[in-house]
Amino acid sequence: MGLQMFVQVRLVVWFGGFLLVASAVSPLWSGWEEWTNCSRQCDWGVSLQKRRCLRGACQGPEKRYRTCKITDCPPGTPDFRVLQCALSNNESHTDGKMYDWIPVEDLPLDQRCTLTCRARGTDMTKVLSPKVLDGTTCAADSIDMCILGRCEPVGCDHQLNSTAMLDRCGVCNGDNSTCRLMKGNRHTLPSPTDAISIKELFTIPEGSTSIRLTSKGSNYLGLRGQWSRASLNQKPPPIGSGEYRIGDSIVQYTSLQSGREHADIDGPLTEPVIVFVLFNQPSAEPETVHYRYLVPIKYGWRSSRWSDCSATCGSGEQQRVYVCINLSTGQREPDSSCDQARPQVERRPCNRQICPPKWQPDPWQPCSRSCSGGIQTRNVYCVERAPNNMLMRVDKDMCSGAKPHSQQNCNLEPCPHWMTGNWSECSVTCGQGSKQRGVSCLDSRHQASSGCDHQKQPSLTKTCIVGVPCVRGPETSSPQIIIPHENLNQPFERSSIPSYHASDWGPCSVTCGWGTMSRSVRCKVYLPSNQMLHDLPEAECTHDPKPDAVAECERLDCLPEDQFEDNTVPANGFGGGPLTVQFVWRYMGFTECSASCIGGVQESLIQCVHIDGETPVSDTLCDITSRPDIFSKVCNEQPCPPDWEVPLYKECSASCGGGSQYPLEVLCMQTLARGVGNTVVLPDSQCDHIPVPSGPVPCGQVDCPAYWQTGTWSECSKSCNGGIRSRHVTCKKRLKTGVESVVDWHQCPLTAPPNTEMCNEGPCELMHEWRPQEWSECSVTCGTGIKVRPITCIRHEPDGTTSLVDFRLCPEASQPVHTEFCLLSPCTEPEILANHTTYHQVGFKSKLRLTVGMTAHVNRGVTVTVKCPVKHFKKSAIIWRRGPREITTNDARAKVLPEGTLRIRWVTEEDQGVYSCIAGTAKERFTLHIRDMEELRSGPSLFGVRWIIGNWTACSATCGGGQQTRSVVCQRTSILGRSRPNSGRVCRAQGLGSPEPIRACNTHGCQPHWVTGAWQECAPQCTSAFIGSQVREVSCEGSRQEPLPDSQCDDATTKPAPHQPCQHIQCSPVWRTSGWSSCSATCGTQGIQTRTIQCTYAGNGETTNTMACASLKQPAITQRCNHLPECLEDTCEDKVNFCSLVKRMHKCHLTAYRLSCCKTCS
């Protein structure tokens, strides 16, 4: 805790040969202490913070308060002021009687913070205390709090001295936007035929507040709850003025002699209320009802945040739209939930600063080529926007950033080209024939095109020569092969004339453009001896022209070489000079095949690359308009391997909302090619290496129709005479994903299930039930202990109230337990953290904080605080002893604080000795030695400085508080032994402190007054369950502290209480039982023994009220006699089965019952 800085001012004045030094010290506050605990365990209370004035005349408060709240009070908790009055219930009044005290209401403003109570059932009032406890509300209908006996204002935010107020809608610091004021007049006429008629006017909605209804006339204003059916003036005769209940709402009804009626309801209403007029005669006059009430607005429009500015400069625009929200939760709702008109969109200008100059390009000119790469250009200017929003061209040096390109490549896709197919087989089997092939014009996407150059179209046919000569038959002119008729197994006869034989054409020498292909052409002759063709020199075939061995071939057109190697535009092509294109599109191969078998597809990959090194770069660097098209090709045309297939599945588990279906049949199959009929079934052994599919597959992937879903009914609002219960009804739909989702109600069937209904409509019967109270704290601080709670029996009255009754009226079988074990952390041996050192006080200090284990040498008059730090032990249970004697609250100066710290005020020689701190089995000592401060101050100092202190003067008053003074001079002795006065600062600088020159004396009162002693230990003089009594001495004392008769102090102040309640374990209530009586029968098994029980205190055995033992299980008061001999056969028997009831109702003296219940009544 830090101290505030202070300034010392010295004033030096000469008076003859004397030097007068005056010091003015600025005020010095200590820091604020920690906030105290909240004044109340539940609901709102106050907390206190203090500070001390250490020096000078301090300005400002010494204490400050703030509100606090630990938790809400449980239902049924008595009012805080009621509890304070009830604490005096066990004290005797001046007449010797005890009363039940309750608070007095409607106290005057200047007495609201006094504890003024009234004896229940009488008109006697008494001020039990001049101040209520801090945190008590000033009045029952106020949240203002009493602090130090004064009523302090509290705002609706529960802060002291706050000006926060509720708006008309009940919202703290609200703006009246969460409710709507409804007011006006309604007129109605009576029925012309009915003698008594009721005319409904309107319905006040649920949740309405501040309801005020007024009517004037000969008729009667009526109200009726829509659900509870409770009503006012539903039928004649009319009711009188007073408070009435409709459902959970209280109606203040007033009927004046003038005929005017008022009905006021604070609200909020828990159900709609119907307003009507009761006409008691057909000729009654028309009735006018004036109404005024507030209806809560559940949904409202709230503005969203401003959007981003539409421009970074040059004046943009921001918009803010309104959205519909739930005013209580803040969550966004559909716009249809808000019934008010949506406010207009708000707009505001933004970024109005002038934009800097920027580059402005013109649109691109047409491309120089339609395909295979061209060039397009545009103009790029540096412009600035003028105030009239016009763009003006400025010098290019005014624009920052890179200038956009003025030239780019375009139409990079290849031009259409001729694509040739494979040659067909030769048209003949001998001699010379022809071959055909397909030729088509394709674009870059391999689609048919008409843009090819027809002058360069490849040939569709070519000549072919078979290596077998043709011969003419005897009766035909067409070539044929001669086959001997006489022996079909002999070789064919071939021509022995040499001729040229050509093989098939080889592949083209290039992959794009025009190339060559070759074939083998040889001179051969047929040799009949081995039926084979034999090579001959070409000179043997001179009679025939030799076929071509080399021919031209064409593939896809190649891209122009300058497109990829030289992208420099000629200077004479564009006026702006050469422009080098750095990035171009490239084909980079193909994607992975889309299928591993029966034919997949691969697509070409296109990448933007740098012209130098072909390094891939971001696609954004290339011109997207000139990107080549993607083309595809077939791949992996081989058959698929065998695999398990499921040709048929079982029925789907759900027709909608996402179901599943399992395989009905699994076959090993192989797909050979695409298309129908290309799949064959194989033996299962071909698929043994593959797991058989058995899991389900999804089905029913469509949304189900919406349906109404109802929740469980709530508790009935009343246990009898008709109540209301409710439930949630929502429209839900099972989506195709299987998720249940809440949807809009109009998607469900028109008729929705009801969400409220009547319940418990039967008449009320008296019902008894057990009501347990709160559990006590655990009996131990570690290990296993026990907790207890009182349990009472209550009766529910027909009017809805409850009352306390005898515990025997409640069912014993359902009685809750009143004790239970509590298991805390395991107990460990306590340990005291002692500081075994020796301490010598140096200088003057008013307070010392030491630790147990020390041997301390301190100055006389100082206040010593000794801490006893412990582990594994409750500090409030620490015991301090001085020698063999325990330090109690009766000690004048020594006191044990709640945290286990020992404090000794203003120590003297009598306080010297050995003190012991005891924590369970642990024990440590503290040794205290006292030194006389006067001797230290007036004796010689090591520094030649000492205080010269005079004797105290006589007290200035004999009573009521006087003063004593003495001279205090700081004296310094030089090396030569000369002494002279010095400033007190010199002595204080040497650690000698500053002796007080003034002290108070005879502070006791001059008039006779009450003097109280210390409270004694709690004694088992039990007044109620667990409550004992503490006593103290209270005596009357005179001005000279002499004892006086009590009568002389009666006019001073209220005599302090000589006793007070306290908790004592020996006042615990217990049941005590007497011995069992003799058996009621001499034979058989129907005999009964009885005994008496009493509720007594455990410590002294005194009898107390039976209700004190209501929370304990009552011992049995009857038992069977089970060890009697059997009765003889002529013993009478009961003839009816309700004889036990006859005996309990004491009806056995009647002859009829005595004969019918012979055995029971005997």
Side-chain angles (χ1 to χ4, degrees):
M1 187 188 318
L3 299 179
Q4 301 172 11
M5 297 297 293
F6 67 94
V7 179
Q8 180 172 322
V9 181
R10 300 177 70 242
L11 178 64
V12 181
V13 182
W14 281 97
F15 286 96
F18 295 95
L19 177 67
L20 180 61
V21 181
S23 298
V25 180
S26 63
L28 178 63
W29 283 105
S30 70
W32 288 103
E33 299 176 356
E34 297 291 333
W35 287 101
T36 62
N37 293 332
C38 197
S39 63
R40 299 191 60 184
Q41 296 300 315
C42 62
D43 212 344
W44 287 94
V46 293
S47 180
L48 167 66
Q49 197 177 38
K50 298 180 181 179
R51 62 176 177 176
R52 294 179 295 109
C53 183
L54 302 178
R55 180 177 287 107
C58 298
Q59 300 293 325
E62 184 181 7
K63 301 177 181 179
R64 60 185 180 186
Y65 293 83
R66 70 178 182 185
T67 56
C68 54
K69 182 179 182 181
I70 299 176
T71 183
D72 292 325
C73 289
T77 302
D79 179 74
F80 196 33
R81 193 183 290 260
V82 172
L83 293 175
Q84 296 175 57
C85 286
L87 289 176
S88 300
N89 290 349
N90 294 323
E91 296 182 8
S92 298
H93 191 48
T94 54
D95 58 2
K97 298 181 181 180
M98 292 187 181
Y99 296 94
D100 288 340
W101 297 99
I102 58 176
V104 175
E105 299 178 356
D106 300 327
L107 288 170
L109 293 179
D110 59 343
Q111 300 179 22
R112 287 189 172 188
C113 290
T114 63
L115 186 60
T116 304
C117 305
R118 177 174 58 84
R120 190 188 301 272
T122 70
D123 294 330
M124 180 176 61
T125 62
K126 183 177 181 181
V127 179
L128 299 180
S129 175
K131 295 186 293 185
V132 293
L133 295 180
D134 288 346
T136 307
T137 55
C138 301
D141 57 350
S142 171
I143 62 173
D144 294 340
M145 288 187 180
C146 292
I147 298 176
L148 295 179
R150 293 179 54 186
C151 184
E152 300 291 346
V154 177
C156 62
D157 55 357
H158 290 283
Q159 300 301 313
L160 285 174
N161 300 310
S162 169
T163 58
M165 299 177 62
L166 296 174
D167 67 356
R168 71 181 186 186
C169 305
V171 178
C172 188
N173 272 338
D175 57 358
N176 300 324
S177 63
T178 58
C179 65
R180 185 186 299 112
L181 176 63
M182 308 295 292
K183 65 178 181 178
N185 298 303
R186 289 292 180 93
H187 311 278
T188 185
L189 296 171
S191 173
T193 57
D194 297 336
I196 297 176
S197 62
I198 290 178
K199 293 290 187 177
E200 293 186 358
L201 297 180
F202 57 93
T203 300
I204 304 176
E206 178 185 2
S208 299
T209 58
S210 303
I211 302 164
R212 175 78 171 180
L213 304 173
T214 305
S215 69
K216 182 178 180 181
S218 59
N219 309 301
Y220 303 104
L221 175 66
L223 304 174
R224 181 175 70 251
Q226 182 170 312
W227 302 331
S228 63
R229 300 299 180 182
S231 63
L232 301 180
N233 289 334
Q234 180 77 24
K235 56 185 178 181
I239 61 174
S241 300
E243 284 191 359
Y244 298 91
R245 180 180 293 273
I246 294 183
D248 294 330
S249 301
I250 301 298
V251 182
Q252 295 284 349
Y253 176 75
T254 305
S255 178
L256 305 178
Q257 292 183 352
S258 61
R260 183 179 296 273
E261 296 173 280
H262 299 287
D264 298 312
I265 307 176
D266 291 335
L269 295 180
T270 57
E271 63 175 325
V273 172
I274 301 171
V275 181
F276 60 87
V277 174
L278 173 64
F279 294 95
N280 57 0
Q281 53 186 352
S283 60
E285 298 178 354
E287 188 76 14
T288 299
V289 175
H290 176 73
Y291 61 89
R292 177 189 177 92
Y293 57 90
L294 297 173
V295 178
I297 300 176
K298 187 174 182 181
Y299 303 102
W301 298 103
R302 288 293 182 268
S303 59
S304 60
R305 67 176 183 87
W306 287 104
S307 65
D308 294 335
C309 193
S310 60
T312 58
C313 60
S315 186
E317 184 182 71
Q318 285 180 295
Q319 292 185 353
R320 185 163 66 179
V321 299
Y322 283 81
V323 296
C324 183
I325 65 167
N326 188 316
L327 296 178
S328 59
T329 64
Q331 298 296 320
R332 184 166 181 177
E333 301 289 344
D335 291 350
S336 58
S337 300
C338 291
D339 51 3
Q340 309 101 323
R342 183 202 294 266
Q344 294 294 325
V345 176
E346 297 182 44
R347 292 179 171 85
R348 69 179 183 186
C350 54
N351 294 340
R352 307 176 100 171
Q353 67 275 17
I354 299 176
C355 293
K358 64 176 182 177
W359 294 108
Q360 180 72 30
D362 283 344
W364 288 105
Q365 297 297 320
C367 191
S368 61
R369 293 186 63 183
S370 61
C371 59
S372 293
I375 295 293
Q376 58 183 165
T377 62
R378 64 178 176 181
N379 293 321
V380 180
Y381 309 103
C382 182
V383 299
E384 184 179 36
R385 189 173 295 276
N388 59 2
N389 212 30
M390 296 291 293
L391 290 177
M392 298 181 60
R393 186 172 179 178
V394 297
D395 190 85
K396 64 180 180 180
D397 294 335
M398 298 180 63
C399 283
S400 60
K403 182 180 180 181
H405 293 300
S406 59
Q407 293 178 318
Q408 70 176 7
N409 290 343
C410 54
N411 295 342
L412 296 178
E413 67 276 5
C415 291
H417 58 278
W418 294 106
M419 179 68 72
T420 59
N422 295 326
W423 289 106
S424 66
E425 295 291 334
C426 194
S427 60
V428 296
T429 57
C430 63
Q432 180 173 328
S434 63
K435 291 184 178 183
Q436 289 81 31
R437 64 176 177 181
V439 178
S440 57
C441 179
L442 301 178
D443 60 14
S444 59
R445 293 183 296 273
H446 282 238
Q447 296 179 354
S449 174
S450 60
C452 294
D453 186 358
H454 289 277
Q455 295 181 358
K456 296 181 179 181
Q457 179 178 353
S459 59
L460 300 177
T461 62
K462 72 174 181 177
T463 301
C464 59
I465 299 175
V466 180
V468 178
C470 295
V471 296
R472 295 182 181 274
E475 298 179 359
T476 179
S477 59
S478 60
Q480 62 178 347
I481 299 176
I482 301 175
I483 301 176
H485 294 281
E486 61 275 6
N487 187 2
L488 295 178
N489 293 328
Q490 295 296 322
F492 294 134
E493 292 184 4
R494 300 295 184 179
S495 172
S496 59
I497 301 173
S499 62
Y500 284 105
H501 289 261
S503 65
D504 290 334
W505 289 102
C508 192
S509 62
V510 295
T511 58
C512 65
W514 289 91
T516 59
M517 57 183 179
S518 60
R519 62 180 177 177
S520 173
V521 179
R522 295 182 181 179
C523 181
K524 297 188 177 186
V525 67
Y526 179 73
L527 300 178
S529 59
N530 55 8
Q531 296 184 4
M532 294 183 64
L533 292 173
H534 183 69
D535 290 338
L536 295 175
E538 290 188 359
E540 299 294 333
C541 296
T542 56
H543 58 281
D544 289 330
K546 182 179 179 181
D548 294 333
V550 178
E552 288 185 337
C553 56
E554 183 188 17
R555 292 292 180 261
L556 290 172
D557 288 348
C558 296
L559 294 177
E561 194 171 302
D562 59 356
Q563 179 180 347
F564 306 106
E565 301 297 336
D566 185 8
N567 281 328
T568 302
V569 179
N572 57 2
F574 305 98
L579 172 65
T580 301
V581 177
Q582 299 294 326
F583 307 101
V584 295
W585 296 105
R586 288 279 192 268
Y587 284 100
M588 306 296 287
F590 291 89
T591 61
E592 293 287 338
C593 192
S594 62
S596 60
C597 56
I598 65 171
V601 177
Q602 288 180 288
E603 291 185 342
S604 59
L605 296 174
I606 301 172
Q607 175 68 50
C608 181
V609 300
H610 196 281
I611 196 67
D612 294 334
E614 298 293 317
T615 305
V617 295
S618 172
D619 287 356
T620 58
L621 297 176
C622 287
D623 181 14
I624 192 62
T625 60
S626 62
R627 191 176 189 271
D629 291 326
I630 296 174
F631 60 89
S632 58
K633 68 177 182 177
V634 179
C635 54
N636 293 342
E637 299 184 82
Q638 71 277 7
C640 291
D643 197 3
W644 295 107
E645 299 289 344
V646 181
L648 190 61
Y649 283 90
K650 297 179 182 179
E651 185 177 356
C652 187
S653 62
S655 59
C656 61
S660 59
Q661 54 185 168
Y662 287 83
L664 183 63
E665 184 180 18
V666 181
L667 300 175
C668 181
M669 307 179 74
Q670 183 179 22
T671 302
L672 303 178
R674 295 187 182 274
V676 181
N678 294 326
T679 301
V680 295
V681 179
L682 303 176
D684 291 351
S685 59
Q686 297 289 327
C687 296
D688 284 346
H689 61 288
I690 306 171
V692 180
S694 59
V697 296
C699 57
Q701 302 293 305
V702 294
D703 293 347
C704 292
Y707 65 95
W708 293 107
Q709 184 183 63
T710 57
T712 56
W713 289 107
S714 66
E715 292 276 340
C716 193
S717 61
K718 296 176 64 177
S719 59
C720 54
N721 281 346
I724 295 290
R725 64 177 183 175
S726 61
R727 63 179 177 181
H728 290 290
V729 178
T730 54
C731 182
K732 303 189 79 173
K733 175 191 286 188
R734 186 177 180 88
L735 304 180
K736 62 183 178 181
T737 58
V739 177
E740 294 284 347
S741 175
V742 178
V743 296
D744 199 14
W745 60 269
H746 63 73
Q747 297 187 33
C748 278
L750 292 178
T751 304
N755 59 354
T756 59
E757 70 174 10
M758 298 292 294
C759 54
N760 295 342
E761 300 184 56
C764 290
E765 297 180 359
L766 295 180
M767 185 178 69
H768 301 87
E769 68 172 355
W770 297 103
R771 175 167 292 177
Q773 306 300 320
E774 294 294 326
W775 287 103
S776 68
E777 293 186 359
C778 193
S779 59
V780 296
T781 58
C782 62
T784 303
I786 198 169
K787 294 193 296 186
V788 298
R789 63 175 176 180
I791 299 174
T792 56
C793 180
I794 64 168
R795 177 171 62 206
H796 294 275
E797 305 293 350
D799 60 357
T801 61
T802 59
S803 59
L804 190 67
V805 297
D806 192 286
F807 66 91
R808 286 172 291 186
L809 296 177
C810 283
E812 181 179 358
S814 62
Q815 180 178 356
V817 296
H818 71 282
T819 60
E820 72 173 9
F821 289 105
C822 46
L823 184 62
L824 303 181
S825 58
C827 296
T828 56
E829 289 296 325
E831 178 184 357
I832 300 177
L833 307 178
N835 182 8
H836 297 287
T837 58
T838 300
Y839 173 80
H840 290 273
Q841 181 179 355
V842 177
F844 178 79
K845 296 180 179 178
S846 62
K847 293 182 180 180
L848 293 176
R849 297 181 64 86
L850 306 175
T851 305
V852 70
M854 289 182 171
T855 299
H857 300 265
V858 302
N859 300 334
R860 184 176 183 273
V862 72
T863 296
V864 177
T865 303
V866 187
K867 294 172 56 180
C868 185
V870 294
K871 293 175 63 178
H872 313 306
F873 194 77
K874 191 174 182 180
K875 291 185 177 180
S876 60
I878 290 176
I879 298 174
W880 280 91
R881 295 182 183 275
R882 183 182 177 187
R885 183 178 62 84
E886 181 178 347
I887 297 175
T888 65
T889 55
N890 296 326
D891 287 290
R893 291 192 303 276
K895 182 179 180 181
V896 181
L897 303 181
E899 66 272 16
T901 300
L902 173 66
R903 183 180 66 192
I904 309 173
R905 293 182 180 271
W906 314 303
V907 296
T908 65
E909 288 78 1
E910 297 178 355
D911 297 315
Q912 291 187 124
V914 178
Y915 296 80
S916 300
C917 173
I918 303 173
T921 58
K923 181 178 180 181
E924 287 289 344
R925 298 193 307 174
F926 171 76
T927 305
L928 181 64
H929 297 280
I930 307 301
R931 297 183 301 185
D932 190 349
M933 190 61 192
E934 300 296 335
E935 297 177 0
L936 289 173
R937 290 170 175 165
S938 59
S941 170
L942 296 176
F943 305 99
V945 177
R946 64 175 179 174
W947 289 104
I948 302 300
I949 303 173
N951 295 324
W952 290 107
T953 63
C955 190
S956 61
T958 58
C959 62
Q963 284 188 340
Q964 288 178 292
T965 62
R966 62 180 178 181
S967 62
V968 177
V969 179
C970 179
Q971 181 173 290
R972 182 168 187 166
T973 304
S974 66
I975 299 176
L976 299 178
R978 296 177 182 176
S979 300
R980 63 173 181 175
N982 273 269
S983 169
R985 180 176 57 84
V986 177
C987 288
R988 287 191 292 271
Q990 305 303 324
L992 297 181
S994 181
E996 296 293 340
I998 301 175
R999 71 177 181 184
C1001 55
N1002 293 339
T1003 57
H1004 59 275
C1006 294
Q1007 299 298 324
H1009 55 276
W1010 295 107
V1011 178
T1012 59
W1015 287 106
Q1016 298 180 9
E1017 292 186 0
C1018 189
Q1021 298 175 359
C1022 307
T1023 57
S1024 61
F1026 303 102
I1027 303 300
S1029 180
Q1030 274 183 300
V1031 297
R1032 63 178 175 181
E1033 293 185 1
V1034 180
S1035 59
C1036 182
E1037 203 175 74
S1039 61
R1040 295 184 297 277
Q1041 299 180 320
E1042 74 278 10
L1044 297 176
D1046 287 357
S1047 59
Q1048 296 195 26
C1049 287
D1050 287 344
D1051 296 333
T1053 57
T1054 303
K1055 182 179 180 180
H1059 55 82
Q1060 68 176 5
C1062 56
Q1063 289 190 345
H1064 203 291
I1065 191 63
Q1066 293 190 20
C1067 293
S1068 304
V1070 295
W1071 289 108
R1072 294 194 185 276
T1073 60
S1074 66
W1076 291 105
S1077 67
S1078 59
C1079 192
S1080 62
T1082 58
C1083 62
T1085 59
Q1086 302 301 315
I1088 295 294
Q1089 286 179 294
T1090 62
R1091 64 178 177 181
T1092 60
I1093 61 172
Q1094 287 182 320
C1095 182
T1096 64
Y1097 294 120
N1100 53 25
E1102 294 181 0
T1103 304
T1104 182
N1105 193 313
T1106 304
M1107 294 306 298
C1109 294
S1111 61
L1112 306 177
K1113 184 175 178 61
Q1114 178 179 325
I1117 59 175
T1118 62
Q1119 70 174 9
R1120 292 285 183 184
C1121 310
N1122 296 325
H1123 302 289
L1124 299 178
E1126 294 185 3
C1127 294
L1128 301 177
E1129 294 183 359
D1130 60 352
T1131 303
C1132 62
E1133 297 292 338
D1134 292 337
K1135 298 179 181 178
V1136 293
N1137 57 4
F1138 53 87
C1139 290
S1140 60
L1141 181 61
V1142 171
K1143 187 172 184 178
R1144 287 184 0 232
M1145 299 296 292
H1146 306 290
K1147 302 296 183 182
C1148 282
H1149 64 282
L1150 300 176
T1151 303
Y1153 287 139
R1154 188 167 63 249
L1155 295 176
S1156 301
C1157 300
C1158 175
K1159 184 175 182 179
T1160 300
C1161 289
S1162 63

